[in-house]
Amino acid sequence: MAAVAARGCAGVWRRAWQRGTGRPGAGHGPSPRGQRAVACNAKGGEVPAGKSGYGAGTARVEGLAPWIPVVGLEIHAQISSKSKLFSGSQVQFAAPPNSLVSFFDASLPGTLPVLNRRCVEAAVMTGLALNCSINKKSLFDRKHYFYADLPAGYQITQQRVPIAVNGSLSYSLCIDNKMSQMVTKTVRIKQIQLEQDSGKSLHDDTRSQTLVDLNRAGVGLMEVVMEPDMCCGEEAAAAVRELQLILQTLGSSQAVMAEGQLRVDANVSVHHPGEPYGVRTEVKNINSIRFLAKAVDYEIQRQIEELENGGTILNETRAFDSKLGCTVPMRDKEGKQDYRFMPEPNLPPLILYDAKSLPANMNHQQVINIDWIHERLPDLPSVKREKLVEQYGILPEHSFTLLVLAELWKGEGKTPLEIVKVQKLELLQDQKELEQICQAVIDGQENEVMAIKAGNQKVLNKLIGLVQRKTQGRSNPVLVKQLLEKKLSE
């Protein structure tokens, strides 16, 4: 298999493959019967290898039919709220298992949902920031499926009429990893919907049992559905990175992926020009922007190789194994699951207003005014970057760097080093202090310690996360892992 260098996807999707189409069942070896390649240009269109017009950096390979990769995203963002979407239970990361569960969260008979106003306002704010149309009337639905971390047997979501539709997100990415060569692209937002999160299943392989923590059950989510307008991992990563910045600027979500506050599902397919979209696979629950780029690019390559060698793509759900750097099958979707969607009988339609439709005698505290929220939107990251370029004449690529330096704008005369010290942004250097923090985490997590000592090493990641949280991200995770392992072996 010979790799053919090709610039594509704004210079990021760089490889095209020269191989035979093979025959069905012939395995994965190359064949001289034909050759194909994949590439897409900076505008997202297909580029036949050898005809991309990018100059000497592109090898010329005759007779190649291009593949067009197609990528769409479904992003679940946890809403920044002190309580859950339909109950008064507190929202807190890494709280003791099942300590934040109300009767409604546990689905006790007779309990009813009460909609959280803050979650609705956050969804409206996010929709406006993403240029969406806000539906003045949206509906809630029940999505039925059975799993241990979903005690009610259904999830309350918005399948028929979501809170926001038809938006767009502009994002920038660099060509050939050069900040001086940037291109701006746009992905369409199909919809934003409110829905409940499920609980968390903890699989203990050594004891052959699964434990369920319902602390997360009922936490408010915004699902942002992006149309299949992207063509590679770097585009998907850039779009999610920009969305993350927007959510954090709005305050509608902290969007910390390490804490599961932003989770991404990627839908990937490939096809030839002029043909319908190919069969897509869904890579679920990607919790890192870097892993997202790798997962999407791997899946594109895997599908092309499979098709080039006479195979077929299954409509299946896959997971990304970050250690192996590949996607692995989870379950097939050939027999489409019947979620038996039905209107949620315990929640009326969600009615929103704008300045024109707001009744004169209406109590403003009892309604949500779309225009009032729109007027209070902060400057989005793209606007801040434009202002930096216009006011100070800096290069556009430098504005991206200056935006993670917001503290310098306050004009308090502090040097970057002083800001780092005052804000406690540097890595924690005192190993004794770090050891004390690790010990405190171990002392407070008896069940997790027992699971680790019983052989379930996956639980160690939770302890590392708790140390990171206590140090506000200032600890070296490699060192933390070493210290925890040492203390747990004593």
Side-chain angles (χ1 to χ4, degrees):
M1 184 189 305
V4 183
R7 289 193 185 185
C9 195
V12 179
W13 186 256
R14 296 182 55 83
R15 293 200 298 167
W17 292 269
Q18 177 182 341
R19 64 173 69 80
T21 57
R23 63 186 188 278
H28 292 279
S31 166
R33 296 190 180 187
Q35 297 174 325
R36 290 195 175 100
V38 60
C40 66
N41 62 21
K43 294 183 180 180
E46 77 278 4
V47 179
K51 299 181 181 180
S52 65
Y54 278 112
T58 303
R60 184 173 181 82
V61 183
E62 299 296 341
L64 301 188
W67 288 99
I68 303 177
V70 177
V71 181
L73 301 177
E74 297 171 7
I75 303 162
H76 290 87
Q78 179 179 318
I79 299 171
S80 291
S81 174
K82 294 180 180 179
S83 57
K84 297 183 180 180
L85 183 57
F86 298 117
S87 80
S89 296
Q90 186 181 356
V91 176
Q92 179 185 333
F93 177 71
N98 295 310
S99 62
L100 305 175
V101 185
S102 70
F103 291 156
F104 177 78
D105 303 329
S107 300
L108 267 64
T111 55
L112 296 173
V114 178
L115 183 57
N116 183 334
R117 178 191 179 102
R118 160 63 189 162
C119 292
V120 177
E121 290 176 336
V124 171
M125 187 183 305
T126 303
L128 292 172
L130 295 177
N131 308 300
C132 292
S133 298
I134 307 298
N135 285 322
K136 293 180 183 177
K137 178 181 179 181
S138 58
L139 305 173
F140 289 98
D141 305 278
R142 289 185 179 183
K143 176 183 179 181
H144 294 82
Y145 64 93
F146 177 77
Y147 202 70
D149 58 18
L150 192 73
Y154 61 84
Q155 175 195 42
I156 300 179
T157 183
Q158 292 188 307
Q159 188 260 349
R160 291 171 296 161
V161 185
I163 195 167
V165 294
N166 300 331
S168 63
L169 170 68
S170 294
Y171 60 95
S172 298
L173 66 162
C174 51
I175 299 176
D176 289 340
N177 292 320
K178 296 177 181 177
M179 288 293 289
S180 59
Q181 299 181 37
M182 302 198 73
V183 62
T184 299
K185 307 192 78 172
T186 299
V187 57
R188 292 169 296 156
I189 305 294
K190 180 181 180 181
Q191 65 190 55
I192 300 174
Q193 61 196 50
L194 284 166
E195 63 184 30
Q196 297 171 299
D197 206 346
S198 59
K200 185 176 182 180
S201 298
L202 305 172
H203 303 290
D204 189 339
D205 296 331
T206 58
R207 299 182 182 180
S208 299
Q209 65 181 9
T210 296
L211 306 177
V212 177
D213 179 7
L214 293 180
N215 280 350
R216 202 175 66 183
V219 168
L221 300 177
M222 294 178 288
E223 181 176 358
V224 181
V225 182
M226 294 184 177
E227 297 281 13
D229 295 338
M230 294 156 282
C231 65
C232 66
E234 187 57 28
E235 283 195 8
V240 172
R241 194 178 297 115
E242 186 70 10
L243 176 64
Q244 185 181 42
L245 281 175
I246 291 173
L247 294 173
Q248 291 169 344
T249 299
L250 297 173
S252 57
S253 174
Q254 295 179 21
V256 179
M257 298 190 80
E259 295 185 4
Q261 295 174 356
L262 197 70
R263 308 192 293 272
V264 184
D265 301 338
N267 294 297
V268 181
S269 69
V270 298
H271 65 283
H272 288 307
E275 295 180 355
Y277 284 177
V279 175
R280 72 180 184 183
T281 59
E282 183 180 28
V283 186
K284 294 282 287 186
N285 290 329
I286 306 169
N287 60 0
S288 157
I289 291 178
R290 181 166 58 92
F291 290 162
L292 171 63
K294 290 184 176 181
V296 168
D297 283 345
Y298 175 87
E299 187 58 20
I300 292 171
Q301 177 182 351
R302 185 193 71 83
Q303 291 188 19
I304 291 172
E305 289 179 342
E306 185 70 29
L307 294 170
E308 293 274 327
N309 287 284
T312 58
I313 303 300
L314 299 178
N315 181 212
E316 63 181 351
T317 298
R318 301 177 71 88
F320 179 67
D321 188 321
S322 59
K323 293 182 180 178
L324 299 177
C326 65
T327 64
V328 293
M330 290 176 63
R331 57 184 181 271
D332 73 77
K333 301 171 74 172
E334 292 298 333
K336 188 175 181 181
Q337 186 168 355
D338 182 9
Y339 291 116
R340 295 186 294 113
F341 283 105
M342 61 169 279
E344 169 54 57
N346 295 323
L347 285 168
L350 174 58
I351 305 298
L352 307 178
Y353 298 88
D354 57 19
K356 293 182 179 179
S357 62
L358 186 66
N361 299 325
M362 181 70 72
N363 184 342
H364 288 247
Q365 299 299 321
Q366 300 297 319
V367 300
I368 292 177
N369 188 329
I370 299 169
D371 289 338
W372 187 89
I373 295 175
H374 192 273
E375 291 169 2
R376 285 157 181 78
L377 285 178
D379 281 348
L380 298 179
S382 58
V383 175
K384 291 180 180 178
R385 290 192 288 262
E386 289 174 4
K387 286 184 177 180
L388 284 171
V389 173
E390 292 174 2
Q391 292 180 11
Y392 300 102
I394 65 175
L395 295 174
E397 57 267 24
H398 292 166
S399 67
F400 285 84
T401 304
L402 287 175
L403 204 60
V404 299
L405 299 178
E407 288 295 325
L408 290 174
W409 298 356
K410 296 181 179 179
E412 297 176 355
K414 294 176 182 176
T415 65
L417 184 59
E418 290 172 335
I419 292 173
V420 166
K421 288 183 177 179
V422 171
Q423 298 288 336
K424 295 184 178 180
L425 301 175
E426 78 279 9
L427 279 178
L428 190 61
Q429 302 294 337
D430 190 336
Q431 185 161 329
K432 288 186 177 180
E433 182 182 355
L434 191 56
E435 287 180 356
Q436 292 174 352
I437 294 172
C438 288
Q439 187 62 55
V441 168
I442 289 173
D443 293 341
Q445 302 293 322
E446 183 178 346
N447 292 336
E448 285 74 7
V449 170
M450 289 175 59
I452 293 170
K453 289 186 175 181
N456 190 350
Q457 292 300 311
K458 293 180 180 179
V459 182
L460 184 63
N461 291 329
K462 179 179 179 179
L463 300 189
I464 295 172
L466 289 172
V467 174
Q468 285 284 75
R469 186 174 182 84
K470 284 184 176 292
T471 61
Q472 297 180 324
R474 295 169 54 221
S475 54
N476 183 336
V478 176
L479 178 58
V480 169
K481 184 173 184 290
Q482 293 172 351
L483 292 175
L484 288 172
E485 288 176 336
K486 179 181 177 182
K487 289 184 175 296
L488 290 169
S489 65
E490 292 175 352

